Amino acid sequence: MNGPLELISLFDLPRGHEGTVSSDDLTTADDAAERELALRLYEIGFVNGERVRVVARGFPGGEPIAVRVGSTIFALRRFEAERVLVAPLRNGRATA
């Protein structure tokens, strides 16, 4: 039997690793700016269950972060990537 999924922010997912988006946190934003950001992230593909992979990070500081969602790559700023929670894949790496 599996335990609860460990969720981390997309920003904390290492380069080259994959995870599955948990959008539950995105839908519970408290203020208007948070809701607007959550809607933007949802509209570009960060939806519950979607598989994502960190492709690259800026230097220095790891920002922006390039993330593949489906067949598209998006660049996110740190505060945006920290808003998306993901469950890292068990093996932690892309298989292909």
Side-chain angles (χ1 to χ4, degrees), residues 20-69:
T20 303
V21 173
S22 173
S23 66
D24 296 337
D25 187 54
L26 286 176
T27 59
T28 60
D30 292 332
D31 62 43
E34 286 285 316
R35 283 192 302 274
E36 185 176 321
L37 175 57
L39 179 59
R40 178 178 166 268
L41 292 168
Y42 181 83
E43 287 175 340
I44 63 175
F46 292 94
V47 297
N48 198 42
E50 186 68 36
R51 198 168 180 170
V52 296
R53 182 165 81 89
V54 175
V55 177
R57 292 179 174 274
F59 182 80
E63 178 178 28
I65 179 175
V67 181
R68 179 179 299 277
V69 179

Side-chain angles (χ1 to χ4, degrees), residues 62-95:
E63 178 178 28
I65 179 175
V67 181
R68 179 179 299 277
V69 179
S71 62
T72 306
I73 295 177
F74 295 99
L76 300 177
R77 293 169 285 191
R78 182 182 188 130
F79 80 91
E80 294 165 326
E82 286 177 337
R83 190 71 177 100
V84 179
L85 293 181
V86 297
L89 293 184
R90 187 173 300 272
N91 67 359
R93 279 206 157 290
T95 56

